[in-house]
Amino acid sequence: MGNKQRKSRRKALRLWFSKRRSRADAFHLIEISDNDELNDECMDGLFVRSMDMGPCILNNELRIFVGTWNVAGRSPVGSLAVDLDEWLNLKEAADIYVLGFQEIVPLKTKTVIGAEDPTEATNWNVLIGKTLNSKYGGAWLTPIINPIFNDNYRNDRAAESDSILRSDYEIATSVRGQSRTEYKLSDHVGRYKLMASKKMVGVFISVWMRRALLKKYCVSEVKVSSVACGIMGYLGNKGSVSVSMSIGGTSFCFVAAHLASGEKKGDEGKRNHQVSEIFRRTSFPRLPEDCHKNLPLTILGHDQIYWFGDLNYRLYLEDNLARELIKKKNWSALQEFDQLGKELEDGGVFQGWKEGNIEFAPTYKYSSSNCNRYSGGLPSRAGEKQRTPAWCDRILWYGKGVKQLSYFRSEIKFSDHRPVSALFSVLVEDQKRAHSSLVPFPPFSPLRNS
């Protein structure tokens, strides 16, 4: 081996050690210079045992609660206040709560084409925050109305600064187009932090995370996106709101949707088209400072995706036959006529996606609030809409490292829909480098004879 090659190899090895020295202060590393007396045989026989041969990817398990609920335009305040404990299943607390709502405002002309009013989104966030944090004895804090729009959020596992903590008390309001920010300070911090919240007419998503995760993981790139695909294909009475975020080395996308209604033949095609539009038009643009990062730009670019909402898929079955199967609680027979199940099977939409086994009664449509009777049927009541019961409210997922632990409906009699929830166990890649233990030593005895 020539002198140039020897020097090149020694220089490469020296640089390799020096790059890792900063990460291994607790260990004494051997420094190698161009003048060190290491012959070719020693270089050829050198073996380095290290805990840091590149990114150390550790799989960590998290529990994510995903819920969806069409609240039929009813506000949770005053006499309509509801207790969310049963829905959120707080006996088995999750690490992350992702809640999607539909019709948090009545879908009237004024609300569909008028300016966005954050009032009802705030009311729901207030109730969710109070439920999650007071349950565990922590002080409840007024959450942000819209903490994330299109900005990035990043937490580097460092101790939270005053500026980060301040966001927990921020109340952003809009008065005649002018933004006003107020702050309420407290000595206490709730157990769960509102990470993202987005409203589009009646579709609303709210994402909460256990604070301990912010110290354990790098939580970053929190972005939101909305797609209106209702009236004329571009009004917000139907559509989706989505949240993108990264936890450690895993990217997540949560999509809350409200699709076209109707149980006539061919209406499922409208829903399929809206699903395609949401996939096509949802985007999470990179900021200028993100140009060097490999961040997901679309829904399908994420590692794990959760799609939930009032998807409005119905049953290919006559009303009286559907009600008969419901009386018998024959869910497997009823699923044979489920439109969404058929689409999943045929690959019409959501090709390759998964849904848990449905072992609960259809969630729509109930006669009224505080009622366990489905609307319509025989004999029909005056003024009551005739609707065949159906599983309109659904939760789907896509990606690796996801295991569904439960899939259930709750019995809150607040609207003509029952809320649906799923609990997932997910694996998160935590990309971090462990401290190096670099020990150069010859793996075999004596140097070879030349």
Side-chain angles (χ1 to χ4, degrees), residues 132-379:
L132 288 176
N133 287 319
S134 63
K135 185 71 177 180
Y136 300 101
W140 167 72
L141 306 171
T142 302
I144 315 169
I145 291 175
N146 289 303
I148 300 295
F149 284 92
N150 287 309
D151 298 327
N152 280 359
Y153 169 91
R154 184 175 182 86
N155 184 288
D156 293 324
R157 279 180 267 188
E160 291 178 307
S161 65
D162 291 340
S163 62
I164 294 177
L165 288 175
R166 187 179 69 174
S167 67
D168 289 305
Y169 317 99
E170 182 176 336
I171 305 174
T173 59
S174 177
V175 181
R176 293 181 181 178
Q178 294 183 346
S179 177
R180 182 185 68 197
T181 301
E182 300 174 355
Y183 298 98
K184 293 185 178 180
L185 301 179
S186 170
D187 295 331
H188 303 284
V189 176
R191 181 175 180 179
Y192 287 89
K193 176 182 176 68
L194 178 59
M195 300 300 297
S197 175
K198 178 65 176 175
K199 172 185 178 294
M200 181 190 72
V201 186
V203 189
F204 173 59
I205 191 170
S206 184
V207 180
W208 298 74
M209 181 179 291
R210 199 158 50 86
R211 282 184 181 278
L213 298 183
L214 298 177
K215 297 180 180 179
K216 183 177 180 180
Y217 298 100
C218 173
V219 180
S220 61
E221 321 306 339
V222 182
K223 299 177 181 178
V224 298
S225 178
S226 60
V227 172
C229 52
I231 301 171
M232 297 183 292
Y234 284 94
L235 291 186
N237 59 307
K238 295 294 187 292
S240 68
V241 288
S242 305
V243 171
S244 170
M245 65 192 303
S246 294
I247 304 175
T250 303
S251 58
F252 293 82
C253 187
F254 304 105
V255 183
H258 191 186
L259 304 182
S261 60
E263 56 183 15
K264 300 188 303 294
K265 184 177 180 180
D267 284 341
E268 68 275 17
K270 298 177 183 178
R271 295 184 269 275
N272 291 353
H273 175 71
Q274 289 179 346
V275 169
S276 299
E277 283 294 286
I278 291 170
F279 274 121
R280 184 178 69 87
R281 292 162 53 193
T282 300
S283 63
F284 305 98
R286 293 191 183 108
L287 299 177
E289 58 268 28
D290 294 334
C291 60
H292 63 288
K293 299 178 182 178
N294 185 25
L295 301 176
L297 300 175
T298 64
I299 292 175
L300 291 175
H302 293 76
D303 297 317
Q304 296 183 15
I305 313 166
Y306 303 83
W307 186 304
F308 47 98
D310 181 0
L311 307 188
N312 255 320
Y313 286 94
R314 308 301 174 91
L315 297 173
Y316 293 116
L317 190 62
E318 293 180 7
D319 181 78
N320 60 326
L321 297 177
R323 292 174 189 264
E324 192 64 32
L325 290 175
I326 292 171
K327 286 181 182 178
K328 296 177 180 178
K329 297 184 178 180
N330 194 341
W331 312 134
S332 59
L334 198 62
Q335 285 181 65
E336 294 294 323
F337 304 95
D338 174 56
Q339 287 182 352
L340 181 55
K342 185 68 172 173
E343 295 296 334
L344 288 169
E345 183 180 338
D346 295 343
V349 288
F350 298 112
Q351 187 172 5
W353 287 59
K354 297 179 181 178
E355 181 183 21
N357 189 34
I358 300 176
E359 297 180 344
F360 50 82
T363 55
Y364 174 84
K365 169 180 172 60
Y366 284 89
S367 180
S368 64
S369 60
N370 299 317
C371 179
N372 274 329
R373 184 178 61 81
Y374 288 109
S375 179
L378 297 174

Side-chain angles (χ1 to χ4, degrees), residues 25-76:
D25 293 333
F27 301 92
H28 297 289
L29 305 183
I30 295 178
E31 292 186 359
I32 299 177
S33 70
D34 289 337
N35 297 322
D36 286 337
E37 294 298 326
L38 288 176
N39 59 23
D40 297 337
E41 288 82 3
C42 183
M43 293 292 288
D44 289 340
L46 186 68
F47 175 76
V48 180
R49 181 173 57 200
S50 171
M51 294 173 60
D52 188 20
M53 297 294 288
C56 178
I57 300 177
L58 305 176
N59 286 326
N60 299 270
E61 183 180 3
L62 297 179
R63 290 201 170 193
I64 299 180
F65 178 100
V66 178
T68 179
W69 193 9
N70 185 319
V71 295
R74 305 187 72 185
S75 173

